[in-house]
Amino acid sequence: LWNGTVAFGEVIFPVKLYSVVQEHRVRFREVHLSDGGRIIHRRVGSESEQEVPNDRIRKAYEISEGNQVVLEDEEIAAARGSNAKVIQIEHFADGGEIDPVYYDRPYLLGAQPGGEHAYRVLLAALEQTGKVGIGRFTLRTREQLVALAPHGEALRLYTMRFADELVPTAELDIPTASRKPSGRELEMAERLVDTLAQEWEPDRYEDRHRDAVMALIEQKASGGEVKVRAAAEPPPTPDLLAALEQSLAAGAGRKRERAPAKGGRGSKVGSGPKAGSGSKVGSGQKAGSGSKARSR
Amino acid sequence: MPHGIWNGTLSFGLVAVPVRMVSATRDRDVHFHQVDIETGERIAVQRVCEADGQEVPWEDVGRGYDLDGQLVTLTDDELAAASPERTHTIEIEEFVDLAAIDPAQFDHPYFLVPGSESEGTTRAYQLLRDAMASTNQVAIGRVVLRSSEYLVAVRQREDLLLLTTMLFADEMRDADQIEAVPTGSTGQPSRGEVAQAVKLINAMTRDFDPAGYENRYRARLTDLIESKHKTRRKVEPPVEDDAAAAPAPDLMAALKASLERAGRD
């Protein structure tokens, strides 16, 4: 994806950048519903509606109405800055201090030949200190703020969001309740949270929707009809305290044991979207259905 | 009240809270539009059917999937039938520690705001928010947005609930799939080197102050546009400084020299 060096202090070592994300989502293309023809995007003059060849298209910035500055790609490239080949670490910070909302896209760093030793020294030292390196580098045409963090045997690089790219909560005009939740309500809600608290096991979650969509596609391909069904939304809770009490009673305060993360799943997928990946998910809420599912 | 990109219900046990989802990020990028340099006319993008070359109105655009050469078309309504419940409800499946989640799994952040001004809704909303804050837990559930299913994490942030879409574990590449990640005996560090690097890291540590970082790319782009607007002269490309710096031949010496410099700064 990108080759360059990491520089912190006077330590410099060559690295390679890899994307972490490998998407498996079902990708669609646009089609014309009435005749099934593929849709292509055509660039046209907004008034003439005549197609414009690519070599006549430029980027422009509108300074004010009717007043624009046209820029060539190489002029825009002048904004990218000079450190195109270096991830320059400016300082380190406590990893726990950084709200994950600032992390944007994750990447993995590998070492280029000759860089392995310094790579592992930095990785081990970050691991030991719980710190991350904050720096900048230019990916493609734009300079990014980045964080370098240890993750297992590899260094991760995250591009970061700038603070002004987050919506300030004060700008959202949020209705608040005239009466705060009571101490009793809060205590019961906390107990309910505890009842549903689990160790985080990301592998337990699979994209079952992907399979459902693929099944739909196959059904339609073989000439089948797709039944459009809408689900009813649950009504808002009329009595908060009663709902909390019933939820807790249904969970019976049991701290559920988790089934092994792998195995025993999957086969259940067909049993309906409400089945929940791990049987216990939601089982406490639907009294009666939980105990059986859990005995696997 | 802000407009939601998604309206639905967050359910927690038997407690159902109507919510709206709004993006927690805003686009501060400098945006260009496209123009035809011969006529100065702005460019628009038209959707055209390949079969007859005619423009297709948006209502007539569906989704197609290429199944072994056969193009299967689906409407949005048909797609929604794949997981009808999740298109309207986020059911909290479990609560976990925020710190246990790999931040790489987080995708896009949204705020969840109460779906109505009614006392019942706002109180249930506040209750869930406060219970998660005091127990330091994050709620995990799923939702279908724009025909894709997302794993989501919901937690308290300031006065609000922050929902972050997440990647499924199998959408993420592991380090062991990448050969260039050095392991085993390759480049194994000595204890002394790590200790020296730890010292350097500590010497270079500052508080993380998110507002303290300037988006220099955006600033340069804005300057460049202004300067071209004023002078009407072509912007000169920057002097390329793409030569990669040479790696340090002696790691220990480089660490020590850096530490001395960090101490002086």
Side-chain angles (χ1 to χ4, degrees):
Chain A
L1 197 61
W2 180 90
N3 291 324
T5 58
V6 167
F8 73 107
E10 290 176 27
V11 179
I12 294 163
F13 60 96
V15 293
K16 284 183 185 178
L17 192 68
Y18 300 86
S19 176
V20 166
V21 184
Q22 41 181 13
E23 275 197 66
H24 294 312
R25 299 193 185 270
V26 182
R27 289 261 161 243
F28 292 100
R29 51 170 307 147
E30 292 180 344
V31 288
H32 188 188
L33 281 175
S34 54
D35 64 5
R38 287 168 204 273
I39 285 182
I40 44 177
H41 287 190
R42 195 163 65 184
R43 295 183 201 310
V44 297
S46 52
E47 271 139 52
S48 66
E49 299 209 357
Q50 292 299 305
E51 189 161 0
V52 180
N54 269 334
D55 59 1
R56 273 171 36 195
I57 298 176
R58 294 290 182 280
K59 293 196 176 82
Y61 184 83
E62 192 165 59
I63 301 260
S64 55
E65 176 131 24
N67 194 357
Q68 61 182 19
V69 179
V70 177
L71 291 159
E72 300 286 333
D73 284 343
E74 70 248 32
E75 292 181 293
I76 294 172
R80 72 177 189 161
S82 55
N83 56 341
K85 287 287 171 206
V86 187
I87 300 167
Q88 183 73 50
I89 296 181
E90 295 174 4
H91 71 98
F92 293 88
D94 237 323
E97 238 179 63
I98 302 175
D99 189 311
V101 79
Y102 289 108
Y103 293 134
D104 192 0
R105 277 187 79 83
Y107 296 88
L108 270 162
L109 282 179
Q112 285 193 59
E116 297 91 347
H117 191 183
Y119 180 104
R120 289 187 69 179
V121 170
L122 177 60
L123 177 65
L126 288 175
E127 194 105 86
Q128 209 175 307
T129 53
K131 297 207 169 147
V132 301
I134 306 289
R136 296 178 193 255
F137 93 115
T138 303
L139 183 59
R140 290 175 206 113
T141 58
R142 66 163 45 195
E143 186 185 76
Q144 303 269 2
L145 184 67
V146 298
L148 242 63
H151 184 80
E153 289 187 314
L155 283 171
R156 280 263 184 76
L157 176 143
Y158 296 93
T159 58
M160 298 187 83
R161 299 188 171 98
F162 288 96
D164 66 355
E165 288 172 326
L166 296 177
V167 175
T169 53
E171 269 182 28
L172 298 166
D173 180 22
I174 302 307
T176 51
S178 56
R179 204 157 51 83
K180 281 209 315 202
S182 69
R184 168 129 179 81
E185 285 169 338
L186 187 60
E187 186 211 321
M188 288 178 72
E190 285 169 1
R191 261 169 57 205
L192 192 49
V193 169
D194 284 340
T195 312
L196 291 168
Q198 301 275 8
E199 289 282 308
W200 174 236
E201 287 176 31
D203 289 342
R204 235 164 47 85
Y205 290 91
E206 284 169 352
D207 186 351
R208 278 173 280 130
H209 183 75
R210 185 159 66 213
D211 300 335
V213 170
M214 283 313 294
L216 262 181
I217 290 169
E218 269 156 33
Q219 189 186 339
K220 205 148 179 215
S222 55
E225 284 276 306
V226 173
K227 244 195 261 154
V228 176
R229 40 183 192 135
E233 236 181 280
T237 315
D239 182 342
L240 197 50
L241 206 56
L244 286 169
E245 261 161 16
Q246 282 169 30
S247 308
L248 276 172
R254 304 170 291 213
K255 187 88 181 171
R256 288 180 296 274
E257 292 292 312
R258 168 170 292 177
K262 291 268 182 193
R265 281 182 299 159
S267 57
K268 287 259 153 289
V269 168
S271 59
K274 278 276 169 173
S277 62
S279 66
K280 64 248 340 229
V281 168
S283 62
Q285 299 150 21
K286 279 172 270 304
S289 71
S291 48
K292 241 185 282 146
R294 262 183 307 113
S295 59
R296 272 188 289 125
Chain B
M1 211 156 43
H3 253 304
I5 59 153
W6 180 89
N7 297 330
T9 302
L10 179 64
S11 82
F12 157 64
L14 296 167
V15 179
V17 191
V19 287
R20 282 172 210 212
M21 201 186 285
V22 295
S23 181
T25 63
R26 52 186 182 183
D27 187 355
R28 307 302 300 267
D29 284 349
V30 175
H31 286 287
F32 297 102
H33 56 257
Q34 294 184 316
V35 291
D36 179 347
I37 40 160
E38 278 188 16
T39 62
E41 205 180 0
R42 225 185 236 239
I43 302 287
V45 174
Q46 255 182 9
R47 285 187 168 73
V48 178
C49 179
E50 207 178 43
D52 56 13
Q54 294 299 305
E55 190 177 355
V56 180
W58 181 243
E59 315 82 72
D60 222 6
V61 176
R63 297 164 195 265
Y65 186 84
D66 189 345
L67 189 71
D68 311 318
Q70 184 190 356
L71 190 69
V72 184
T73 56
L74 289 174
T75 64
D76 287 353
D77 286 345
E78 287 173 329
L79 259 177
S83 312
E85 288 79 10
R86 295 218 174 79
T87 53
H88 298 291
T89 308
I90 304 166
E91 191 182 318
I92 294 176
E93 302 186 15
E94 61 178 346
F95 290 93
V96 302
D97 272 331
L98 175 61
I101 303 175
D102 176 357
Q105 213 174 341
F106 290 129
D107 194 8
H108 196 88
Y110 299 87
F111 283 120
L112 288 180
V113 303
S116 82
E117 294 180 16
S118 82
E119 182 74 7
T121 297
T122 48
R123 276 194 47 230
Y125 179 94
Q126 281 167 237
L127 183 63
L128 177 56
R129 179 197 67 197
D130 295 350
M132 282 202 280
S134 62
T135 54
N136 216 357
Q137 295 277 300
V138 177
I140 303 291
R142 300 164 189 256
V143 69
V144 172
L145 288 177
R146 283 171 254 110
S147 83
S148 264
E149 184 181 54
Y150 293 89
L151 190 61
V152 299
V154 180
R155 63 186 167 106
Q156 168 263 338
R157 182 173 156 83
E158 295 170 26
D159 289 342
L160 297 179
L161 290 172
L162 183 84
L163 174 146
T164 312
T165 54
M166 297 168 85
L167 298 165
F168 285 97
D170 70 352
E171 291 180 298
M172 297 168 61
R173 196 185 287 172
D174 284 329
D176 57 19
Q177 291 170 258
I178 293 170
E179 235 175 87
V181 171
T183 53
S185 56
T186 315
Q188 220 168 23
S190 74
R191 206 172 291 171
E193 288 163 334
V194 176
Q196 197 69 32
V198 165
K199 271 194 212 161
L200 178 56
I201 287 172
N202 287 335
M204 288 175 72
T205 294
R206 293 207 318 257
D207 285 343
F208 177 70
D209 169 23
Y213 303 97
E214 190 203 3
N215 188 334
R216 300 198 301 217
Y217 174 75
R218 193 197 300 154
R220 279 196 293 259
L221 203 50
T222 312
D223 286 351
L224 180 155
I225 292 167
E226 264 171 37
S227 112
K228 185 157 186 192
H229 177 58
K230 279 201 197 105
T231 64
R232 297 277 153 199
R233 275 218 309 274
K234 194 170 156 42
V235 178
E236 288 302 320
V239 184
E240 297 290 326
D241 182 17
D242 285 358
D250 182 345
L251 189 58
M252 203 61 178
L255 284 168
K256 282 188 174 147
S258 314
L259 188 60
E260 269 173 37
R261 215 180 57 180
R264 280 201 307 271
D265 289 346

